[in-house]
Amino acid sequence: MEILVQPNPETASALAAAAIAKAIYEKPTTVLGLATGSTPLALYRELIRLHRDEGLDFSKVRTFNLDEYLGLSPDHPASYSHFMRVNFFAHVNLNPQRTHIPSGLVSQETIPAHCEHYEEEIAQAGGIDIQILGIGSDGHIGFNEPSSSLTSRTRIKTLTERTRLDNSAHFVNPDDVPHHVITMGIGTIMEARKIFLLAFGENKATAVAGAAEGPITASLPASILQMHRHAHFYIDPLAASKLTRLAYYEWVLAHKPAWQRDDIAAR
Ligand code: GLP
């Protein structure tokens, strides 16, 4: 794992965006796994800026989002479909036919087929090159709540009350937060070639410490990232504040050999 502690969320997001831009310059058909929530907003802003000011071309890029609330239409202001349009898709030259988000309107009987189809679409696209992740305060990734199978695939999940509460700010009434979601599984996420996890703020410090340094356990789903060969954590000092090996991660970053510093040099 690479733990990149940056001075603030903006510099951390810019670093992740530079690495994504580099991947797209090298492979214009890059497949991105996308996340929602407040965490990746600065990353999307920076990717939009790179598109506008530096001509970063998304026309051949394909995207797959992690998850969606069941019961919300794509036009619902709290749906992840709406979130992606407003915060990213509308501002870059992504072909809408190359963007994929699980449907929140799929009927109960067709959920398994819908999830299987989503997995097939990812496979047909050649798999995900870079998966962007946030992290829940309880260590969930996507909507894979604690106790999720570490080899799970895209499926329906029931949210914990804590996650419903954490996400309630996006809804008019906290009771409006759906109980059910469709989410890529942990096994699905782990097949991405690279994983960029972003986490900012004190509220994420316990989850980040568990993910990077705790035991691998379904009780903290992000801890499975320790088994990934290319997991990079872009975090700020507050999210890093409970890491016991922080000094070592900073030492590694300061002494990163030039041949490994492409993403930093690309800024
Ligand atoms: C939701 C999303 C996750 C996200 C998490 C954290 O649960 N499904 O993908 O990482 O919220 O959200 P935030 O970035 O707003 O803290």
Side-chain angles (χ1 to χ4, degrees), residues 53 70 85 87 101 103 122 126 157 163 166 216 218 229 232:
D53 299 347
L70 268 172
R85 272 200 314 282
N87 293 302
I101 303 181
S103 170
I122 295 173
K157 282 295 290 180
T163 298
D166 280 353
I216 296 173
R229 294 175 63 196
H232 307 263

Side-chain angles (χ1 to χ4, degrees), residues 30 45 112 145 183 218 230 238:
T30 291
R45 278 198 297 273
E145 296 283 29
T183 181
H230 298 287
L238 286 172

Side-chain angles (χ1 to χ4, degrees), residues 35-40 66-67 80 133-136 140-143 163 167 170 204:
T36 52
S38 53
T39 304
L66 284 166
D67 45 18
Y80 286 164
L133 291 179
I135 186 167
H140 75 245
I141 47 177
F143 266 135
T163 298
N167 293 359
H170 307 285
K204 301 296 173 70

Side-chain angles (χ1 to χ4, degrees), residues 28 122 147 170 173 227:
I122 295 173
S147 81
H170 307 285
N173 183 331
M227 296 293 288

Side-chain angles (χ1 to χ4, degrees), residues 66-72 78 80 102-106 111 114-115 140-145 148 153-160 163-164 167 171 177-184:
L66 284 166
D67 45 18
E68 180 59 285
Y69 291 107
L70 268 172
L72 300 195
Y80 286 164
S103 170
L105 291 183
V106 68
I111 289 172
H114 181 70
C115 295
H140 75 245
I141 47 177
F143 266 135
N144 294 282
E145 296 283 29
S148 290
R153 312 302 305 189
T154 303
R155 70 214 182 291
I156 183 173
K157 282 295 290 180
T158 306
L159 296 182
T160 62
T163 298
R164 291 185 69 238
N167 293 359
F171 292 81
V177 182
H179 286 86
H180 296 105
V181 296
I182 291 183
T183 181
M184 274 187 206

